[in-house]
């Protein structure tokens, strides 16, 4: 079971929600199969961390580019995290 809920928007975009009740252990390092743009819609002090970098705060209105096959993870904040994810054509 995933630590988030997805809601489809279009063929290549969807909204993803992580609730404040998610366990930090479920938020693992991972890689995506496509380039993505992540638009932060709601953030309760959540952060994103890329491999060999310090965590960066995710603020409402931010757009974050994630290159395919790059290791990254989200770090739990103190509220819900809601993002829109747009997968780019390879």
């Amino acid at each position: 079971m995933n630590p988030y809920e997805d809601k489809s928007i279009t063929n290549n975009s969807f909204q993803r929600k992580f609730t404040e009740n998610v366990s930090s252990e479920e938020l693992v390092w991972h890689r995506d199969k496509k380039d993505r743009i992540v638009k932060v819609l709601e953030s309760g002090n959540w952060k994103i961390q890329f491999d060999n970098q310090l965590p960066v705060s995710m603020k409402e209105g931010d757009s974050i580019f994630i290159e395919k096959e790059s290791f990254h993870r989200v770090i739990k904040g103190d509220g819900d995290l809601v993002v829109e994810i747009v997968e780019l054509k390879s």
Side-chain angles (χ1 to χ4, degrees), residues 6-84:
D6 282 344
K7 180 169 55 172
S8 182
I9 298 173
T10 66
N11 288 355
N12 68 328
S13 69
F14 52 94
Q15 192 175 81
R16 178 166 287 172
K17 179 179 183 178
F18 296 85
T19 68
E20 64 182 331
N21 299 324
V22 70
S23 168
S24 293
E25 286 90 35
E26 293 182 85
L27 305 173
V28 297
W29 288 95
H30 66 282
R31 296 182 294 180
D32 300 320
K33 294 180 182 187
K34 294 184 178 184
D35 288 340
R36 290 181 166 181
I37 296 175
V38 176
K39 300 174 185 175
V40 182
L41 305 177
E42 183 182 326
S43 174
N45 299 316
W46 285 63
K47 296 180 180 183
I48 188 165
Q49 184 176 17
F50 291 93
D51 196 25
N52 295 318
Q53 295 183 24
L54 294 172
V56 177
S57 292
M58 299 172 76
K59 297 183 176 98
E60 291 176 19
D62 284 354
S63 286
I64 302 161
F65 176 73
I66 300 175
E67 187 175 1
K68 71 177 179 179
E69 300 299 331
S70 66
F71 277 104
H72 62 283
R73 67 176 177 163
V74 291
I75 299 171
K76 185 177 175 177
D78 52 20
D80 292 346
L81 172 66
V82 181
V83 296
E84 180 181 337

